[in-house]
Amino acid sequence: HYEVIDGQQRLTTVVLTMCAIRDVMKANQQLLDDTQKKYLNAISEWLFNFDMTAGKTQLRLELQHEESKTFLSTLIEEKSYKGDVSGSITKMRGAYERIKKELDGYLAKGVPTLTEFAVYFLTKIDLVVIESENLSGALKIFETINQRGAGLNAMDLVKNLLFSQASTEDFSKIKGKWKELTAHLKTAREDDMSH
Protein backbone atom coordinates (compact mmCIF):
# COMPACT_ATOMS: atom_id res chain seq x y z
CA HIS A 1 0.00 0.00 0.00
CA TYR A 2 1.23 3.46 -0.88
CA GLU A 3 -0.08 6.83 0.27
CA VAL A 4 0.07 9.16 -2.70
CA ILE A 5 1.33 12.69 -2.05
CA ASP A 6 1.31 13.84 -5.67
CA GLY A 7 -0.44 12.15 -8.58
CA GLN A 8 -3.93 11.38 -7.26
CA GLN A 9 -5.61 13.04 -10.25
CA ARG A 10 -3.41 11.22 -12.75
CA LEU A 11 -3.99 7.88 -11.05
CA THR A 12 -7.74 8.51 -10.88
CA THR A 13 -7.78 9.36 -14.61
CA VAL A 14 -5.87 6.16 -15.39
CA VAL A 15 -8.36 4.10 -13.37
CA LEU A 16 -11.36 5.86 -14.95
CA THR A 17 -9.87 5.13 -18.39
CA MET A 18 -9.31 1.47 -17.51
CA CYS A 19 -12.92 1.21 -16.30
CA ALA A 20 -14.15 2.80 -19.53
CA ILE A 21 -12.03 0.46 -21.70
CA ARG A 22 -13.33 -2.53 -19.73
CA ASP A 23 -16.95 -1.38 -19.96
CA VAL A 24 -16.83 -0.68 -23.71
CA MET A 25 -15.12 -4.02 -24.39
CA LYS A 26 -17.51 -5.87 -22.09
CA ALA A 27 -20.58 -4.30 -23.74
CA ASN A 28 -19.26 -5.58 -27.08
CA GLN A 29 -17.89 -8.89 -25.84
CA GLN A 30 -19.52 -10.82 -28.71
CA LEU A 31 -17.19 -8.93 -31.11
CA LEU A 32 -13.99 -9.81 -29.23
CA ASP A 33 -11.63 -12.57 -30.28
CA ASP A 34 -9.79 -14.74 -27.73
CA THR A 35 -6.80 -12.36 -27.46
CA GLN A 36 -9.04 -9.34 -26.98
CA LYS A 37 -10.93 -11.21 -24.23
CA LYS A 38 -7.57 -11.77 -22.50
CA TYR A 39 -6.93 -8.01 -22.60
CA LEU A 40 -10.34 -7.49 -21.01
CA ASN A 41 -9.50 -9.99 -18.24
CA ALA A 42 -6.12 -8.35 -17.63
CA ILE A 43 -7.75 -4.92 -17.23
CA SER A 44 -10.22 -6.32 -14.69
CA GLU A 45 -7.36 -7.88 -12.71
CA TRP A 46 -5.44 -4.60 -12.72
CA LEU A 47 -8.42 -2.71 -11.31
CA PHE A 48 -8.93 -5.00 -8.31
CA ASN A 49 -8.36 -8.46 -6.97
CA PHE A 50 -10.09 -10.67 -4.45
CA ASP A 51 -8.22 -11.13 -1.17
CA MET A 52 -9.03 -14.69 -0.13
CA THR A 53 -7.63 -14.26 3.38
CA ALA A 54 -9.75 -11.19 4.12
CA GLY A 55 -12.67 -12.45 2.02
CA LYS A 56 -13.11 -9.11 0.27
CA THR A 57 -12.27 -7.19 -2.87
CA GLN A 58 -9.01 -5.22 -2.75
CA LEU A 59 -9.08 -2.17 -5.02
CA ARG A 60 -5.84 -1.00 -6.64
CA LEU A 61 -6.73 2.65 -5.97
CA GLU A 62 -8.72 4.07 -3.07
CA LEU A 63 -9.40 7.79 -2.79
CA GLN A 64 -9.20 9.54 0.57
CA HIS A 65 -12.56 11.36 0.67
CA GLU A 66 -15.39 8.97 1.50
CA GLU A 67 -17.90 9.96 -1.23
CA SER A 68 -15.23 9.97 -3.98
CA LYS A 69 -13.84 6.70 -2.66
CA THR A 70 -17.31 5.11 -2.68
CA PHE A 71 -18.11 6.37 -6.19
CA LEU A 72 -14.83 5.10 -7.65
CA SER A 73 -15.14 1.73 -5.91
CA THR A 74 -18.67 1.21 -7.28
CA LEU A 75 -17.41 2.09 -10.77
CA ILE A 76 -14.46 -0.31 -10.44
CA GLU A 77 -16.69 -3.10 -9.11
CA GLU A 78 -19.38 -2.39 -11.75
CA LYS A 79 -22.02 -1.55 -9.16
CA SER A 80 -24.54 1.26 -9.07
CA TYR A 81 -23.65 4.38 -7.06
CA LYS A 82 -26.41 5.27 -4.59
CA GLY A 83 -24.84 8.11 -2.57
CA ASP A 84 -24.92 11.88 -2.73
CA VAL A 85 -23.53 13.51 -5.85
CA SER A 86 -20.86 16.05 -4.89
CA GLY A 87 -18.83 18.24 -7.23
CA SER A 88 -15.95 15.78 -7.31
CA ILE A 89 -18.27 12.90 -8.19
CA THR A 90 -19.88 14.97 -10.95
CA LYS A 91 -16.39 15.66 -12.35
CA MET A 92 -15.33 11.99 -12.12
CA ARG A 93 -18.57 10.81 -13.72
CA GLY A 94 -18.19 13.44 -16.46
CA ALA A 95 -14.58 12.39 -17.10
CA TYR A 96 -15.60 8.71 -17.27
CA GLU A 97 -18.42 9.51 -19.73
CA ARG A 98 -16.10 11.67 -21.87
CA ILE A 99 -13.47 8.91 -22.01
CA LYS A 100 -16.14 6.31 -22.80
CA LYS A 101 -17.46 8.47 -25.64
CA GLU A 102 -13.93 8.71 -27.08
CA LEU A 103 -13.56 4.93 -26.85
CA ASP A 104 -16.92 4.45 -28.57
CA GLY A 105 -15.41 6.51 -31.42
CA TYR A 106 -12.51 4.05 -31.64
CA LEU A 107 -14.96 1.14 -31.54
CA ALA A 108 -16.94 2.67 -34.42
CA LYS A 109 -13.77 2.23 -36.52
CA GLY A 110 -13.64 -1.44 -35.47
CA VAL A 111 -12.65 -3.57 -32.49
CA PRO A 112 -8.97 -3.69 -33.64
CA THR A 113 -8.79 0.14 -33.40
CA LEU A 114 -10.20 0.07 -29.85
CA THR A 115 -7.84 -2.77 -28.92
CA GLU A 116 -4.85 -0.91 -30.39
CA PHE A 117 -5.63 2.10 -28.20
CA ALA A 118 -6.18 -0.10 -25.13
CA VAL A 119 -2.89 -1.94 -25.64
CA TYR A 120 -1.03 1.34 -26.17
CA PHE A 121 -2.61 2.88 -23.06
CA LEU A 122 -1.88 -0.16 -20.91
CA THR A 123 1.68 -0.83 -22.08
CA LYS A 124 3.25 2.45 -23.24
CA ILE A 125 2.42 4.82 -20.38
CA ASP A 126 5.17 4.98 -17.79
CA LEU A 127 4.39 5.46 -14.13
CA VAL A 128 7.28 6.79 -12.07
CA VAL A 129 7.13 5.96 -8.38
CA ILE A 130 9.30 7.94 -5.98
CA GLU A 131 9.26 6.40 -2.52
CA SER A 132 10.10 8.35 0.59
CA GLU A 133 11.10 7.02 3.99
CA ASN A 134 8.73 9.37 5.78
CA LEU A 135 6.03 11.92 5.14
CA SER A 136 8.14 15.02 5.62
CA GLY A 137 10.57 13.70 2.99
CA ALA A 138 7.67 13.01 0.63
CA LEU A 139 6.30 16.52 1.11
CA LYS A 140 9.75 18.00 0.45
CA ILE A 141 10.01 15.97 -2.79
CA PHE A 142 6.51 17.14 -3.77
CA GLU A 143 7.43 20.79 -3.20
CA THR A 144 10.76 20.48 -5.05
CA ILE A 145 9.29 18.71 -8.10
CA ASN A 146 6.41 21.14 -8.40
CA GLN A 147 8.66 24.20 -8.13
CA ARG A 148 10.39 23.08 -11.33
CA GLY A 149 7.27 22.39 -13.39
CA ALA A 150 4.09 24.29 -13.98
CA GLY A 151 4.04 25.50 -10.41
CA LEU A 152 1.49 25.02 -7.70
CA ASN A 153 -1.42 27.27 -6.92
CA ALA A 154 -1.66 28.95 -3.53
CA MET A 155 -4.10 26.30 -2.21
CA ASP A 156 -1.65 23.48 -2.96
CA LEU A 157 1.19 25.36 -1.26
CA VAL A 158 -0.88 26.11 1.86
CA LYS A 159 -2.06 22.50 2.07
CA ASN A 160 1.50 21.20 1.67
CA LEU A 161 2.74 23.59 4.37
CA LEU A 162 -0.01 22.51 6.81
CA PHE A 163 0.71 18.83 6.38
CA SER A 164 4.47 19.27 6.49
CA GLN A 165 4.22 21.09 9.86
CA ALA A 166 1.70 18.68 11.42
CA SER A 167 2.22 15.46 13.28
CA THR A 168 1.01 12.26 11.65
CA GLU A 169 -1.67 11.63 14.27
CA ASP A 170 -3.31 14.97 13.38
CA PHE A 171 -3.64 14.17 9.66
CA SER A 172 -7.22 12.88 9.70
CA LYS A 173 -8.35 15.94 11.70
CA ILE A 174 -6.53 18.27 9.27
CA LYS A 175 -8.01 16.43 6.26
CA GLY A 176 -11.50 17.01 7.66
CA LYS A 177 -10.86 20.69 8.40
CA TRP A 178 -9.23 21.20 4.99
CA LYS A 179 -12.24 19.67 3.25
CA GLU A 180 -14.58 21.91 5.28
CA LEU A 181 -12.50 25.02 4.50
CA THR A 182 -12.29 24.32 0.77
CA ALA A 183 -16.06 23.64 0.65
CA HIS A 184 -16.67 27.12 2.14
CA LEU A 185 -14.24 28.71 -0.33
CA LYS A 186 -15.92 26.90 -3.22
CA THR A 187 -19.36 28.09 -2.06
CA ALA A 188 -18.03 31.66 -2.00
CA ARG A 189 -16.35 31.07 -5.39
CA GLU A 190 -12.98 31.90 -3.84
CA ASP A 191 -11.43 28.46 -4.34
CA ASP A 192 -9.23 29.53 -7.27
CA MET A 193 -6.25 30.98 -5.41
CA SER A 194 -3.92 30.88 -8.39
CA HIS A 195 -3.78 34.69 -8.56
Side-chain angles (χ1 to χ4, degrees):
H1 288 89
Y2 291 96
E3 290 225 16
V4 179
I5 298 296
D6 188 25
Q8 297 95 324
Q9 289 176 335
R10 281 175 286 261
L11 287 172
T12 302
T13 303
V14 166
V15 169
L16 290 173
T17 303
M18 289 172 64
C19 287
I21 293 169
R22 175 203 60 201
D23 295 346
V24 170
M25 290 181 92
K26 216 170 203 183
N28 296 279
Q29 204 159 2
Q30 73 282 2
L31 303 174
L32 305 181
D33 64 24
D34 287 344
T35 302
Q36 291 159 343
K37 286 178 183 172
K38 287 177 183 167
Y39 290 133
L40 176 57
N41 289 337
I43 291 168
S44 296
E45 288 173 13
W46 285 358
L47 287 168
F48 66 90
N49 67 0
F50 184 73
D51 184 339
M52 288 191 203
T53 310
K56 65 178 187 173
T57 299
Q58 178 65 52
L59 304 179
R60 303 281 186 197
L61 177 66
E62 289 183 350
L63 302 178
Q64 75 179 27
H65 296 303
E66 204 53 47
E67 71 277 358
S68 302
K69 177 180 179 177
T70 304
F71 174 78
L72 189 63
S73 67
T74 57
L75 188 62
I76 290 170
E77 296 182 71
E78 300 177 81
K79 295 178 182 171
S80 209
Y81 179 71
K82 306 275 194 234
D84 294 334
V85 178
S86 66
S88 61
I89 290 174
T90 302
K91 287 178 183 174
M92 279 196 291
R93 186 177 279 154
Y96 167 79
E97 293 299 335
R98 175 69 183 92
I99 294 164
K100 201 160 171 276
K101 184 178 176 185
E102 188 71 24
L103 295 173
D104 284 334
Y106 289 127
L107 181 62
K109 296 175 186 172
V111 175
T113 304
L114 173 64
T115 306
E116 185 181 332
F117 171 79
V119 171
Y120 182 87
F121 184 83
L122 298 168
T123 62
K124 301 296 183 193
I125 293 176
D126 292 326
L127 175 68
V128 178
V129 178
I130 302 172
E131 289 185 57
S132 174
E133 288 184 26
N134 55 46
L135 185 66
S136 63
L139 291 166
K140 187 66 182 163
I141 292 167
F142 170 76
E143 190 177 343
T144 304
I145 288 172
N146 282 291
Q147 282 177 348
R148 296 194 173 128
L152 300 171
N153 68 29
M155 291 287 282
D156 291 327
L157 292 169
V158 170
K159 185 177 181 183
N160 188 56
L161 180 65
L162 281 173
F163 279 95
S164 65
Q165 300 297 316
S167 59
T168 312
E169 54 271 8
D170 290 333
F171 278 7
S172 61
K173 187 165 64 173
I174 293 171
K175 278 184 197 175
K177 287 289 185 190
W178 183 260
K179 188 176 177 186
E180 189 181 316
L181 172 70
T182 54
H184 288 307
L185 288 170
K186 189 171 224 144
T187 303
R189 294 195 168 125
E190 294 290 338
D191 55 320
D192 180 14
M193 294 181 66
S194 57
H195 48 279

